[in-house]
Amino acid sequence: MALHLTWVFGFGLLGNFISCLVCLAPLPTFYRICKKKTSQGFHSIPYVIALFSAMLWLFYALFKEDALLLITINSFTFFMEIGYIFMYLLYATKKDKILTFKLLLLFNVFGFGLICVLTRFLTQRQKRVQVLGWICMTFSLCVFVAPLFIVRKVIRTKSVEFMPFSLSFFLTLSAVMWFFYGFLKKDQFVAVPNILGLLFGILQMVLYMIYRNSKKVVVVEPKLKLDISEHVVDLEKLGAAICSEIAIGIPKLMNDGGDGIIEDQNAKEQTKKIMKAMDVTNKL
């Protein structure tokens, strides 16, 4: 019995430590965001969902017996996610800020408030733990599924810029530790979601190995388009100059009777020049 409790405490302690590293893994990303003063196309959805999940697990742990290790890690996650969301809102675009505020109101204010009220007044203590456990398990799955938004972006852009390997690696380790903690403690609500967490973590690491050295698709440089337009402008100027020369020569055909043949030949030569210029334009 004592050995069993030791293993439970050991996996729970390791789960706390590794989960703290998971929470710290996005720090380099947010350092770049602060340095460049732009959200760089990152989404706030994973952080909002993670914050909501931490709030639910804290509420669950308050009614669950002997859940100190759940309280410690989710308290740390709660404050870290608030910090990440705050930094994101500082540098996100107006559209992303509005979306983030809507998500916070939907999940962390109205959603969490509704769950608290319903479970507090409509369920008894033991039944309340079961209901909260199912809710926590569902949204823990959402935490693991949320990075799939980034996975989709990685596959589409063939770039792992927005999916740090450290985050995927520590998510996988964390899932392993919390699975054994829940399994040994006979807490299915902790063990079950971490099975999917392990699978998703492995998927992200495999994608990282596939696309880490992939080259981005080469886009036509805007400078090339500008060069083409400059050639078009030059040809238009050339055509206008030739036409102006003809316009000067034509009145001579009408006014100078003796030199009509000479002027006509000049006009033909000028016409040939126009035709050549038009051929060059068509070729370009």
Side-chain angles (χ1 to χ4, degrees):
M1 185 66 180
L3 182 61
H4 180 269
L5 292 176
T6 302
W7 279 105
V8 171
F9 181 78
F11 279 112
L13 195 62
L14 286 173
N16 269 256
F17 176 72
I18 298 173
S19 294
C20 287
L21 295 179
V22 171
C23 291
L24 296 175
L27 280 178
T29 297
F30 279 92
Y31 173 77
R32 288 198 340 251
I33 289 176
C34 294
K35 187 176 181 179
K36 295 183 179 180
K37 300 185 184 303
T38 174
S39 59
Q40 305 180 52
F42 286 94
H43 295 285
S44 62
I45 296 174
Y47 307 104
V48 173
I49 297 297
L51 175 62
F52 185 36
S53 178
M55 294 168 67
L56 287 175
W57 280 110
L58 278 173
F59 194 54
Y60 168 79
L62 290 176
F63 297 99
K64 177 76 173 178
E65 295 180 359
D66 192 22
L68 178 62
L69 292 174
L70 288 178
I71 293 175
T72 54
I73 184 55
N74 285 287
S75 297
F76 180 79
T77 303
F78 174 81
F79 289 109
M80 288 300 299
E81 298 303 329
I82 286 179
Y84 290 144
I85 293 172
F86 177 75
M87 284 190 288
Y88 180 86
L89 290 173
L90 283 179
Y91 302 108
T93 61
K94 183 178 180 180
K95 182 179 178 181
D96 290 334
K97 287 180 181 179
I98 293 173
L99 176 61
T100 302
F101 278 120
K102 287 181 179 179
L103 291 172
L104 288 171
L105 288 174
L106 177 63
F107 288 100
N108 305 90
V109 178
F110 295 111
F112 182 73
L114 183 62
I115 291 171
C116 288
V117 171
L118 292 179
T119 55
R120 182 70 179 82
F121 295 102
L122 298 181
T123 58
Q124 299 298 324
R125 184 175 181 84
Q126 189 58 35
K127 186 68 174 178
R128 186 183 303 140
V129 172
Q130 293 292 320
V131 172
L132 287 173
W134 281 104
I135 294 173
C136 289
M137 185 173 66
T138 301
F139 282 97
S140 292
L141 295 176
C142 293
V143 172
F144 291 120
V145 173
L148 290 180
F149 288 97
I150 305 300
V151 168
R152 178 174 172 270
K153 190 166 189 175
V154 169
I155 295 174
R156 190 174 70 251
T157 62
K158 301 186 185 306
S159 172
V160 294
E161 180 182 1
F162 300 105
M163 189 180 69
F165 180 80
S166 58
L167 179 59
S168 302
F169 176 74
F170 287 120
L171 273 174
T172 306
L173 281 181
S174 176
V176 171
M177 298 304 166
W178 285 113
F179 167 75
F180 282 108
Y181 171 84
F183 177 76
L184 293 174
K185 199 174 177 59
K186 297 182 180 179
D187 191 338
Q188 60 177 338
F189 303 120
V190 175
V192 172
N194 284 287
I195 297 174
L196 283 182
L198 174 62
L199 296 177
F200 288 142
I202 293 174
L203 172 62
Q204 292 179 58
M205 288 191 292
V206 169
L207 286 175
Y208 186 91
M209 297 304 294
I210 293 174
Y211 293 113
R212 62 175 181 171
N213 295 322
S214 297
K215 295 182 179 179
K216 294 183 179 180
V217 178
V218 179
V219 181
V220 177
E221 294 292 336
K223 185 177 180 181
L224 180 59
K225 296 180 180 179
L226 292 174
D227 290 341
I228 294 174
S229 63
E230 288 173 2
H231 285 300
V232 172
V233 172
D234 290 340
L235 289 172
E236 288 177 352
K237 290 179 180 179
L238 178 61
I242 295 174
C243 289
S244 65
E245 291 178 1
I246 296 175
I248 294 172
I250 288 176
K252 293 183 180 180
L253 287 173
M254 298 174 63
N255 295 332
D256 300 332
D259 297 332
I261 297 175
I262 297 173
E263 294 299 328
D264 185 63
Q265 290 176 351
N266 291 335
K268 289 181 178 179
E269 291 176 1
Q270 298 296 341
T271 303
K272 290 179 180 179
K273 290 181 180 180
I274 293 176
M275 297 302 293
K276 290 180 180 179
M278 294 298 294
D279 291 337
V280 173
T281 303
N282 293 329
K283 290 178 180 180
L284 290 175

